[in-house]
Amino acid sequence: MSSLSDSVYNVLKALVELYNKEGGPVKSRDIANSLKIHEGYVRNMLSILKSMGLVISKAGPHGGYIPTSKAADVLSRQTFSVPIVSLGNVIGYALDITVIGLLSEKPHASMRVVGDLSNYLEREVRVGPLPSGVVLIGKVIKADIEALVEITSIVSVPRTTVKNIMTPNPVVAKADDQVETYIKYFAERRFRGIPVVDDNRRPIGLLMASKVMELLSRCELKARVGDVMMHDPPTIQEDEDVHEAIRLMVSSGIGRLLVVDSEDRLVGIITRTDILTRIATFEQLV
């Protein structure tokens, strides 16, 4: 199993600590309070951990999340890592990154790698963002366990909140609406996803363009949005740093995040395009 991203690691570590302290299932809100982050974001991380077999959930009023026997082993071996990306795909993770000859004509980055970079020799990759917000761009010249990247440029991602980059007040759908109501947005405005909200404007799903095209091919556009939407849509709090949005998109392969306020109400949507508009050199998110 490859190393966890920093965000996923922090949630798992907090869960294990709370579970050991309380001796029972842990609520997502307790993890959120412990880490001082948004509960919706914690739930996204828990979904990833659940898919990896590191967490199980228990339903009911006394339910919550429980770490599996694998969790302690993964935590003991965890080393903080950052993604290595080529043409929009995560091809590995970099550990213990050292920049050599930063002020020289040809600086290099040495790193341990989780993954196989042998097929990417002499090809451009993006490493990061690092915890500092820096992204290294360069060419792979050595692809062993200890990899070497010849740096061509270094990009520093400006610190700003998701709220400053997101698209506010996006078009939304309701679960009882017919899918055909929203065809014009996918066909004319090139939408890839439309948030689905409840009566309190809390996100409950995401209507994806791929699903709409599938229904269109079968002439089934009378279908209800709630029957075909993606449940448990990825969310992020409006006051989160954009670095968190980037890390979540890159490590999880998610192209859009629904932005919520402190009461979990939808206030916007942030996509790869929004970030690219602000930071033009982030081709790895395309």
Side-chain angles (χ1 to χ4, degrees):
M1 179 179 294
S2 63
S3 296
L4 306 176
S5 69
D6 296 352
S7 301
V8 177
Y9 170 85
N10 289 335
V11 169
L12 180 61
K13 184 171 182 290
L15 168 62
V16 170
E17 290 175 349
L18 290 169
Y19 177 77
N20 291 336
K21 179 180 179 181
E22 303 296 333
V26 179
K27 304 288 187 185
S28 57
R29 66 171 176 269
D30 294 332
I31 299 174
N33 291 336
S34 172
L35 296 175
K36 294 181 173 55
I37 58 177
H38 193 260
E39 186 180 357
Y41 186 74
V42 169
R43 288 197 295 267
N44 290 337
M45 300 299 100
L46 288 168
S47 294
I48 295 173
L49 289 166
K50 191 174 179 180
S51 70
M52 298 173 70
L54 299 177
V55 167
I56 59 174
S57 58
K58 181 179 179 181
H62 301 293
Y65 295 89
I66 300 172
T68 67
S69 58
K70 297 179 182 178
D73 180 58
V74 169
L75 288 177
S76 68
R77 294 185 288 105
Q78 169 71 14
T79 302
F80 285 114
S81 61
V82 298
I84 304 172
V85 181
S86 175
L87 298 177
N89 298 311
V90 177
I91 59 174
Y93 290 87
L95 316 170
D96 300 334
I97 301 169
T98 302
V99 177
I100 305 168
L102 179 60
L103 300 181
S104 67
E105 185 177 341
K106 288 187 176 181
H108 292 79
S110 173
M111 64 199 74
R112 289 193 296 119
V113 172
V114 176
D116 184 5
L117 301 188
S118 59
N119 292 329
Y120 297 89
L121 280 171
E122 301 300 321
R123 291 170 59 179
E124 184 180 81
V125 297
R126 312 292 196 270
V127 182
L130 280 61
S132 62
V134 167
V135 175
L136 306 177
I137 302 172
K139 181 174 63 176
V140 178
I141 59 175
K142 180 183 177 184
D144 296 329
I145 295 177
E146 290 284 344
L148 197 63
V149 173
E150 183 179 295
I151 299 172
T152 55
S153 60
I154 299 176
V155 179
S156 179
V157 184
R159 288 283 181 182
T160 187
T161 62
V162 168
K163 184 177 182 178
N164 290 334
I165 293 182
M166 72 179 189
T167 299
N169 303 315
V171 173
V172 298
K174 291 294 186 69
D176 289 332
D177 293 343
Q178 292 184 343
V179 173
E180 65 179 351
T181 305
Y182 301 97
I183 290 180
K184 62 182 179 181
Y185 296 106
F186 293 105
E188 299 173 7
R189 299 176 63 177
R190 307 285 184 177
F191 282 14
R192 293 187 179 180
I194 294 178
V196 185
V197 298
D198 62 16
D199 291 337
N200 294 314
R201 204 174 171 80
R202 292 187 172 91
I204 59 173
L206 194 59
L207 180 62
M208 301 299 297
S210 57
K211 178 60 70 172
V212 172
M213 295 304 105
E214 180 183 322
L215 294 175
L216 183 60
S217 69
R218 300 200 304 260
C219 299
E220 296 179 4
L221 296 177
K222 298 295 183 182
R224 292 174 61 255
V225 169
D227 294 333
V228 299
M229 70 184 185
M230 181 185 79
H231 294 271
D232 300 320
T235 62
I236 188 168
Q237 193 175 26
E238 60 183 337
D239 292 330
E240 283 279 9
D241 195 289
V242 70
H243 291 182
E244 288 301 314
I246 294 170
R247 276 192 283 268
L248 184 56
M249 286 182 183
V250 172
S251 63
S252 304
I254 298 171
R256 69 205 70 253
L257 305 174
L258 305 187
V259 185
V260 296
D261 62 16
S262 59
E263 296 182 0
D264 280 340
R265 294 174 302 196
L266 184 77
V267 294
I269 184 169
I270 183 168
T271 68
R272 293 167 175 169
T273 301
D274 294 323
I275 296 176
L276 283 166
T277 300
R278 182 68 174 261
I279 311 164
T281 54
F282 264 173
E283 296 96 344
Q284 82 271 25
L285 292 177
V286 175

